[in-house]
Structure formats: C-alpha cells, structure tokens
Amino acid sequence: MDRRTFIVAATATLASTFFHGSQAFAKGQIVQLPDPVTTGGKPLMDCLAKRHTDRSLKGGAITMGHLSTLLWSAWGINRSDGRHVVPTAHNKQQLQLYAVLGDGVWLYEPKTNSIVKVLDDDQRSRFDGASVILLYAAPIDDMFAGMHVGSMYQNVGLYCAANGVPNCVKHTNHGVLDTSLPLPKGWRVYISHSLGEYPH
Ligand SMILES: Cc1cc2nc3c(=O)[nH]c(=O)nc-3n(C[C@H](O)[C@H](O)[C@H](O)COP(=O)(O)O)c2cc1C
C-alpha cells in the first residue's frame, strides 16, 4: 500500500502534543511540525563553553515544539535557496536524519519541516533506551560523510548545551536499524546521538 499522507496541521494544540509510547500515528503518516525556534537562546560562546557529554539519558517524551527545533538544528534549511544549517561538500546535501521516539522511528523532511513515520514500535531499547535518539545517515562511499555527520552532531551538541539537555554521541549499536530503515541504496547510519530529558 502507498504510504499514507494524512497531514496533521501545525496548530497550537499540536505544538504542545507529546509523543508517547503509543501507536497514535500509523507507519507512513506525515506530521507537520510547528515552526522551529530559530532566534534567541543562549549566546554561542556560552554554548561552546557548556557543550559536554552527559550520559543521564533516560526521560519522558519530547514535545513537538522541542522536536522541531532539535531537528532543525541538526539538518534544517536556514536559507531561502534551500541550503542547510550544516555545510556539505559541493552542496550535495547527502544526509538523512531519523528520530527514534517512544512510538517509533521518524524521518525528518527538512524541505517541509515535517516528519514521516518509517518504523512502528518503541525501538529505543535497541540503542541505549535514551529519551530521544537521533540517527545520522549518509552514503557509504561518500568520503565526506563523516565530516557532514560530525557537523550535525556538533550542532545538536550546541543545541543541547543551550537548552540544558543531557546528550551523548554513540558509536555503540548505531547500525541496529540499518536493514529496517528506508535508507537509500548504499547508505548507512554513521553514528547515533542520544538525548535525555529537557529541564522542567
Ligand atoms: C564519534 C564519537 C563516538 C562516540 N561513541 C560513544 C559511545 O559509543 N559510547 C559512549 O558512551 N560515548 C561515546 N562518545 C562520547 C565520547 O566518549 C565523549 O565525547 C568523550 O568522552 C569526550 O567527552 P565530552 O563530549 O564531554 O567532551 C562518542 C563520541 C564521539 C564523538
């Protein structure tokens, strides 16, 4: 069956919706995220000073609003010509970003600031059981892939420093979903990034 294209509007109600460990959204469903917050926040030098690994990664669900800004920080489009927060060699943009949440795995679609559900069920225990796990994917034969992925995890590390979110880049188990994800042929997950709970 073709993937479902049920679009959930980005309303104020949605912005405060939490992803719980339920099957509220079917595989193939697309969810329009609220606009990311792309201004303000902690000064850059404070974020650099505070970036660090913190392995207190368990925690509750993430809000749609936080998820939107988190994904935008990693792989959002920040200019009207379609270029991203992360530079890529020759602007090839060969990167994918997945979010492993309590109700399944979602692929980020930066052009529409939406996510599409690609796997059902809570897969987080296959990694480290963190609250949110990001998967950074790229072509196996791209000599720049590691650099591109490193740019994504550094952006997220700074975002986490800005927002007081514990986080750890992890090589361990990063590829456990490679055969299940809709990766383009010849692509793989290079590294995962686990996040804990947002401060209350
Ligand atoms: C590419 C990469 C892979 C990593 N893999 C793991 C891992 O599998 N498990 C883990 O606990 N930490 C992992 N880390 C976190 C490092 O151990 C951590 O960044 C390092 O100890 C330096 O600490 P800092 O991030 O606070 O500067 C990884 C970090 C990077 C950049």
Side-chain angles (χ1 to χ4, degrees):
M1 194 174 90
D2 288 343
R3 82 176 186 180
R4 296 176 62 188
T5 53
F6 177 76
I7 311 284
V8 180
T11 61
T13 308
L14 185 63
S16 62
T17 302
F18 287 78
F19 282 99
H20 289 292
S22 67
Q23 300 295 344
F25 298 102
K27 190 172 160 187
Q29 209 160 320
I30 299 169
V31 172
Q32 180 65 54
L33 294 170
D35 288 345
V37 178
T38 61
T39 58
K42 205 181 280 295
L44 174 62
M45 300 316 289
D46 291 358
C47 299
L48 288 168
K50 285 183 183 299
R51 192 224 54 87
H52 69 288
T53 295
D54 179 345
R55 297 183 178 82
S56 332
L57 299 167
K58 300 275 190 296
I62 187 169
T63 65
M64 291 274 201
H66 285 322
L67 183 65
S68 176
T69 304
L70 168 66
L71 298 178
W72 185 86
S73 302
W75 187 226
I77 291 173
N78 68 352
R79 279 155 291 167
S80 55
D81 63 1
R83 294 180 190 230
H84 291 256
V85 291
V86 165
T88 54
H90 307 296
N91 190 30
K92 282 198 171 174
Q93 305 187 358
Q94 291 188 303
L95 288 168
Q96 278 189 340
L97 173 62
Y98 294 89
V100 185
L101 305 177
D103 74 336
V105 183
W106 298 77
L107 172 65
Y108 179 52
E109 305 274 15
K111 287 195 174 81
T112 50
N113 188 43
S114 61
I115 50 175
V116 57
K117 192 171 188 188
V118 296
L119 287 181
D120 280 330
D121 302 322
D122 189 350
Q123 309 280 346
R124 295 175 298 177
S125 61
R126 302 184 67 183
F127 297 88
D128 58 3
S131 177
V132 174
I133 300 152
L134 300 180
L135 306 177
Y136 305 121
I140 292 164
D141 65 359
D142 181 356
M143 65 183 287
F144 300 113
M147 300 172 208
H148 298 155
V149 164
S151 297
M152 292 172 100
Y153 72 60
Q154 184 68 4
N155 277 15
V156 170
L158 293 172
Y159 164 88
C160 288
N163 292 283
V165 181
N167 73 106
C168 181
V169 176
K170 288 205 178 171
H171 190 261
T172 310
N173 296 337
H174 69 278
V176 292
L177 293 181
D178 275 18
T179 54
S180 315
L181 294 170
L183 291 163
K185 194 171 164 26
W187 286 46
R188 70 176 174 89
V189 172
Y190 271 76
I191 200 93
S192 63
H193 200 162
S194 298
L195 274 66
E197 198 156 52
Y198 284 71
H200 299 294

